[in-house]
Amino acid sequence: MTSMLKCVFIFIAFSFFPIRAFSQLFTSSNLPLVLINTNGQTILDAPKIIADMGIIWNGSGKRNSLSDPKNNYNGKIGIEKRGSSSQMFPKKSYGVETKSNDLVTTDFSLLGMPEENDWILYAPYTDKTMIRDVLTYTLDASLGHWSPRCRFVELFLNGNYEGVYVLMEKIKRNKNRVDIAKLLTTDISGENLTGGYIIKIDKTTGNSGAGWYSNYSNVVGNTYYQYDYPKTDVIVSPQGTYIKEYVRSMETALYQGKFTGTGSYHDFLNDSSFIDFMIINELAKNVDGYRLSSYLYKGKNDRINCGPIWDFNLTYGNDLFDWGYDRSHTDVWQFNDGGNTGARFWKNLFDNATFKCYLSKRWMELTGTNQPLNYSIISKQIDATVAKITEAAGREQSRWYTIGNHATQISSMKS
């Protein structure tokens, strides 16, 4: 049975489940509760519709009941579906924008995370453990990088129980997220033109997809870079040209093997961020790593950094799509694994003996005793993350029938 047919079968079977009856059996949770009321409207892929959202959170270690006050947030939001292929699943992910009562986009602190207005309610539908994204962002943050902060919640939509979700930060230029300079449309020369920028390698779903192709191909073609910050409807021509030529200069230096001296790739990128990005993606065996959901950012008067990391649901052996072979191999490099191949510059970097040496040294450092990527430390982090959702996992299974025996799923992931 193909992946698409499986999804259709699950959706048809699910349509007969008495959702509201299950919701009425709900009493309380150890997780925060998110309640959204669309007031009779249908949530679209775009644009956002206006809805009401309340968050009930009585603090760490305390129970949260539907009858409790909406004490963490109680106001207006804009909401839309988000994702590309994930939109075919019955459990949807959503983009949420917090607003004032007069519908002005306004920053709020949700569940203890820094104030912002752009948030994501991520549905871990294809991840039977429900923790892969949260775990990997936590591991990456332990290496000293900004990764999206996350909070497990249980969602009620229009009175219906929707299961376990992750309320999380969206990748965005912000002092508390990707901390780079704000680029004004008047910044078209000199030092101000040098940053900041965020570029992504991804599907073009969800934006105009404006960008450029790499001059250098890998085995599946030329990588396409998209403008992410400033957005394509904001970035002006000198800025678009500057960052495109900067990335191309980096690629050319690597392609031509300029590993030392003036004009080498070191003039264009920070090795340490690329090394850590590679380690996290290879550790997780991210089948979408490098070729999708990959970001680069550049601050003012700085070189290019790789990251932030994003989208780790198809990791740690969780390759759900039938491509004729298992893409999550443990004996190959993901950046150079046939159809998974990312931008050409990854192979060029890896061909550099010095880069490879630093990569190995960093790996040994991070996997040593009591270090963040040591297996025993990761295993404890998995257990701590699972403990947060053990209670809710049963409700998730009753709602969606997707996770089966949760303990078995976690054990398989660890192995």
Side-chain angles (χ1 to χ4, degrees), residues 238-269:
Q239 296 166 352
T241 299
Y242 170 83
I243 191 61
K244 176 178 69 175
E245 294 306 319
Y246 195 96
V247 172
R248 282 184 167 170
S249 295
M250 175 195 79
E251 290 185 294
T252 297
L254 284 164
Y255 185 78
Q256 294 179 350
K258 294 181 179 179
F259 298 143
T260 60
T262 303
S264 74
Y265 81 85
H266 298 284
D267 290 342
F268 301 100
L269 67 85

Short mmCIF file of all heavy atoms in Angstrom, two decimals, residues 238-269:
data_model
loop_
_atom_site.label_atom_id
_atom_site.label_comp_id
_atom_site.label_asym_id
_atom_site.label_seq_id
_atom_site.Cartn_x
_atom_site.Cartn_y
_atom_site.Cartn_z
N PRO A 238 19.29 45.75 -4.48
CA PRO A 238 20.69 45.68 -4.05
C PRO A 238 20.91 44.62 -2.97
O PRO A 238 21.98 43.98 -2.93
CB PRO A 238 20.98 47.09 -3.53
CG PRO A 238 19.99 47.96 -4.24
CD PRO A 238 18.76 47.13 -4.35
N GLN A 239 19.94 44.44 -2.09
CA GLN A 239 20.07 43.45 -1.03
C GLN A 239 19.99 42.03 -1.59
O GLN A 239 20.79 41.16 -1.22
CB GLN A 239 18.97 43.67 0.03
CG GLN A 239 19.10 45.01 0.74
CD GLN A 239 17.85 45.37 1.53
OE1 GLN A 239 16.83 44.71 1.43
NE2 GLN A 239 17.93 46.45 2.30
N GLY A 240 19.01 41.80 -2.47
CA GLY A 240 18.89 40.48 -3.09
C GLY A 240 20.14 40.11 -3.86
O GLY A 240 20.61 38.96 -3.80
N THR A 241 20.69 41.07 -4.58
CA THR A 241 21.91 40.83 -5.36
C THR A 241 23.09 40.56 -4.44
O THR A 241 23.91 39.66 -4.69
CB THR A 241 22.21 42.03 -6.26
OG1 THR A 241 21.13 42.21 -7.17
CG2 THR A 241 23.50 41.82 -7.04
N TYR A 242 23.20 41.34 -3.36
CA TYR A 242 24.32 41.20 -2.45
C TYR A 242 24.37 39.79 -1.85
O TYR A 242 25.42 39.12 -1.90
CB TYR A 242 24.23 42.22 -1.32
CG TYR A 242 25.25 41.97 -0.22
CD1 TYR A 242 26.56 42.42 -0.34
CD2 TYR A 242 24.89 41.26 0.94
CE1 TYR A 242 27.50 42.16 0.66
CE2 TYR A 242 25.82 41.00 1.94
CZ TYR A 242 27.12 41.44 1.80
OH TYR A 242 28.05 41.19 2.77
N ILE A 243 23.27 39.32 -1.27
CA ILE A 243 23.33 38.03 -0.58
C ILE A 243 23.46 36.88 -1.58
O ILE A 243 24.12 35.88 -1.30
CB ILE A 243 22.10 37.85 0.35
CG1 ILE A 243 22.31 36.64 1.27
CG2 ILE A 243 20.82 37.74 -0.43
CD1 ILE A 243 23.52 36.73 2.19
N LYS A 244 22.86 37.03 -2.77
CA LYS A 244 23.02 36.00 -3.80
C LYS A 244 24.48 35.87 -4.21
O LYS A 244 25.03 34.75 -4.27
CB LYS A 244 22.15 36.33 -5.02
CG LYS A 244 22.32 35.34 -6.17
CD LYS A 244 21.41 35.69 -7.33
CE LYS A 244 21.83 36.97 -8.02
NZ LYS A 244 21.01 37.25 -9.23
N GLU A 245 25.13 36.99 -4.47
CA GLU A 245 26.53 36.95 -4.90
C GLU A 245 27.45 36.50 -3.76
O GLU A 245 28.47 35.85 -4.01
CB GLU A 245 26.96 38.32 -5.44
CG GLU A 245 26.23 38.73 -6.71
CD GLU A 245 26.35 37.68 -7.80
OE1 GLU A 245 27.44 37.11 -7.98
OE2 GLU A 245 25.32 37.41 -8.48
N TYR A 246 27.09 36.82 -2.54
CA TYR A 246 27.89 36.39 -1.39
C TYR A 246 27.87 34.87 -1.27
O TYR A 246 28.91 34.23 -1.11
CB TYR A 246 27.37 37.03 -0.11
CG TYR A 246 28.33 36.94 1.06
CD1 TYR A 246 29.18 37.99 1.36
CD2 TYR A 246 28.39 35.79 1.85
CE1 TYR A 246 30.07 37.91 2.42
CE2 TYR A 246 29.28 35.69 2.90
CZ TYR A 246 30.11 36.75 3.19
OH TYR A 246 31.00 36.66 4.24
N VAL A 247 26.68 34.29 -1.36
CA VAL A 247 26.56 32.82 -1.28
C VAL A 247 27.28 32.18 -2.46
O VAL A 247 27.97 31.17 -2.31
CB VAL A 247 25.08 32.40 -1.23
CG1 VAL A 247 24.94 30.89 -1.34
CG2 VAL A 247 24.43 32.89 0.07
N ARG A 248 27.13 32.76 -3.62
CA ARG A 248 27.80 32.19 -4.80
C ARG A 248 29.32 32.27 -4.67
O ARG A 248 30.04 31.36 -5.11
CB ARG A 248 27.33 32.92 -6.06
CG ARG A 248 25.96 32.46 -6.53
CD ARG A 248 25.53 33.10 -7.82
NE ARG A 248 24.37 32.40 -8.38
CZ ARG A 248 23.65 32.84 -9.41
NH1 ARG A 248 23.97 33.99 -9.98
NH2 ARG A 248 22.63 32.14 -9.86
N SER A 249 29.83 33.33 -4.06
CA SER A 249 31.28 33.44 -3.84
C SER A 249 31.75 32.35 -2.88
O SER A 249 32.83 31.77 -3.07
CB SER A 249 31.63 34.82 -3.29
OG SER A 249 31.35 35.83 -4.22
N MET A 250 30.96 32.08 -1.86
CA MET A 250 31.28 30.99 -0.93
C MET A 250 31.33 29.67 -1.67
O MET A 250 32.28 28.88 -1.51
CB MET A 250 30.23 30.93 0.19
CG MET A 250 30.41 29.76 1.14
SD MET A 250 28.92 29.46 2.17
CE MET A 250 27.88 28.57 0.99
N GLU A 251 30.31 29.40 -2.47
CA GLU A 251 30.25 28.14 -3.21
C GLU A 251 31.43 28.01 -4.18
O GLU A 251 32.02 26.93 -4.32
CB GLU A 251 28.95 28.05 -3.99
CG GLU A 251 27.71 27.87 -3.14
CD GLU A 251 26.48 27.68 -3.98
OE1 GLU A 251 26.09 28.63 -4.70
OE2 GLU A 251 25.90 26.58 -3.95
N THR A 252 31.77 29.10 -4.85
CA THR A 252 32.87 29.06 -5.82
C THR A 252 34.19 28.76 -5.14
O THR A 252 35.00 27.95 -5.63
CB THR A 252 32.96 30.39 -6.58
OG1 THR A 252 31.75 30.59 -7.33
CG2 THR A 252 34.15 30.41 -7.53
N ALA A 253 34.43 29.40 -3.99
CA ALA A 253 35.67 29.15 -3.25
C ALA A 253 35.78 27.68 -2.86
O ALA A 253 36.85 27.07 -2.96
CB ALA A 253 35.72 30.03 -2.00
N LEU A 254 34.67 27.08 -2.44
CA LEU A 254 34.69 25.67 -2.07
C LEU A 254 34.84 24.77 -3.28
O LEU A 254 35.59 23.80 -3.26
CB LEU A 254 33.41 25.32 -1.30
CG LEU A 254 33.37 25.79 0.14
CD1 LEU A 254 31.96 25.76 0.71
CD2 LEU A 254 34.29 24.92 1.00
N TYR A 255 34.11 25.09 -4.34
CA TYR A 255 34.16 24.27 -5.55
C TYR A 255 35.57 24.27 -6.15
O TYR A 255 36.04 23.26 -6.66
CB TYR A 255 33.16 24.80 -6.58
CG TYR A 255 33.06 23.95 -7.82
CD1 TYR A 255 32.32 22.75 -7.81
CD2 TYR A 255 33.68 24.33 -9.00
CE1 TYR A 255 32.22 21.98 -8.96
CE2 TYR A 255 33.59 23.55 -10.16
CZ TYR A 255 32.85 22.38 -10.12
OH TYR A 255 32.76 21.60 -11.25
N GLN A 256 36.24 25.42 -6.07
CA GLN A 256 37.59 25.53 -6.63
C GLN A 256 38.67 25.07 -5.65
O GLN A 256 39.85 25.12 -5.98
CB GLN A 256 37.84 26.98 -7.06
CG GLN A 256 36.95 27.43 -8.21
CD GLN A 256 37.17 28.88 -8.61
OE1 GLN A 256 37.87 29.63 -7.91
NE2 GLN A 256 36.58 29.29 -9.73
N GLY A 257 38.27 24.63 -4.48
CA GLY A 257 39.24 24.11 -3.51
C GLY A 257 40.08 25.16 -2.85
O GLY A 257 41.22 24.89 -2.44
N LYS A 258 39.55 26.37 -2.70
CA LYS A 258 40.29 27.43 -2.02
C LYS A 258 40.08 27.30 -0.51
O LYS A 258 39.19 27.92 0.07
CB LYS A 258 39.82 28.80 -2.51
CG LYS A 258 40.15 29.07 -3.97
CD LYS A 258 39.69 30.46 -4.40
CE LYS A 258 40.05 30.74 -5.84
NZ LYS A 258 39.58 32.08 -6.29
N PHE A 259 40.90 26.46 0.10
CA PHE A 259 40.73 26.14 1.51
C PHE A 259 41.61 27.00 2.43
O PHE A 259 41.42 27.01 3.65
CB PHE A 259 41.04 24.67 1.75
CG PHE A 259 40.12 23.73 1.02
CD1 PHE A 259 40.61 22.55 0.48
CD2 PHE A 259 38.78 24.03 0.85
CE1 PHE A 259 39.77 21.68 -0.19
CE2 PHE A 259 37.93 23.17 0.17
CZ PHE A 259 38.43 21.98 -0.35
N THR A 260 42.58 27.71 1.86
CA THR A 260 43.47 28.54 2.68
C THR A 260 43.77 29.85 1.95
O THR A 260 43.55 29.97 0.74
CB THR A 260 44.82 27.82 2.95
OG1 THR A 260 45.47 27.53 1.70
CG2 THR A 260 44.59 26.53 3.73
N GLY A 261 44.25 30.83 2.72
CA GLY A 261 44.69 32.09 2.14
C GLY A 261 43.56 33.03 1.80
O GLY A 261 42.38 32.76 2.06
N THR A 262 43.92 34.17 1.21
CA THR A 262 42.95 35.19 0.82
C THR A 262 42.01 34.63 -0.24
O THR A 262 42.44 33.98 -1.19
CB THR A 262 43.66 36.43 0.28
OG1 THR A 262 44.56 36.93 1.26
CG2 THR A 262 42.65 37.51 -0.07
N GLY A 263 40.71 34.91 -0.05
CA GLY A 263 39.72 34.41 -1.00
C GLY A 263 39.28 32.99 -0.75
O GLY A 263 38.52 32.42 -1.54
N SER A 264 39.75 32.40 0.37
CA SER A 264 39.32 31.03 0.69
C SER A 264 37.90 31.05 1.23
O SER A 264 37.34 32.10 1.55
CB SER A 264 40.26 30.41 1.72
OG SER A 264 40.02 30.98 3.01
N TYR A 265 37.34 29.86 1.38
CA TYR A 265 35.95 29.78 1.87
C TYR A 265 35.82 30.32 3.29
O TYR A 265 34.73 30.72 3.70
CB TYR A 265 35.43 28.34 1.78
CG TYR A 265 35.84 27.43 2.90
CD1 TYR A 265 35.11 27.39 4.10
CD2 TYR A 265 36.94 26.58 2.78
CE1 TYR A 265 35.47 26.55 5.13
CE2 TYR A 265 37.30 25.73 3.81
CZ TYR A 265 36.56 25.71 4.98
OH TYR A 265 36.92 24.87 6.00
N HIS A 266 36.92 30.36 4.03
CA HIS A 266 36.87 30.89 5.40
C HIS A 266 36.48 32.37 5.42
O HIS A 266 36.01 32.87 6.45
CB HIS A 266 38.24 30.74 6.08
CG HIS A 266 38.67 29.31 6.22
ND1 HIS A 266 38.14 28.46 7.16
CD2 HIS A 266 39.59 28.59 5.53
CE1 HIS A 266 38.72 27.28 7.06
NE2 HIS A 266 39.60 27.33 6.07
N ASP A 267 36.67 33.05 4.30
CA ASP A 267 36.26 34.45 4.23
C ASP A 267 34.74 34.60 4.18
O ASP A 267 34.22 35.70 4.39
CB ASP A 267 36.84 35.11 2.97
CG ASP A 267 38.35 35.29 3.05
OD1 ASP A 267 38.90 35.22 4.17
OD2 ASP A 267 38.98 35.50 1.99
N PHE A 268 34.05 33.49 3.90
CA PHE A 268 32.61 33.58 3.66
C PHE A 268 31.74 32.83 4.67
O PHE A 268 30.56 33.14 4.82
CB PHE A 268 32.29 33.05 2.26
CG PHE A 268 32.99 33.79 1.17
CD1 PHE A 268 34.14 33.27 0.58
CD2 PHE A 268 32.53 35.03 0.74
CE1 PHE A 268 34.80 33.97 -0.43
CE2 PHE A 268 33.18 35.73 -0.26
CZ PHE A 268 34.33 35.20 -0.85
N LEU A 269 32.28 31.84 5.37
CA LEU A 269 31.43 31.07 6.28
C LEU A 269 32.15 30.75 7.59
O LEU A 269 33.38 30.67 7.64
CB LEU A 269 30.92 29.79 5.63
CG LEU A 269 31.91 28.66 5.28
CD1 LEU A 269 32.17 27.75 6.46
CD2 LEU A 269 31.36 27.84 4.11
#
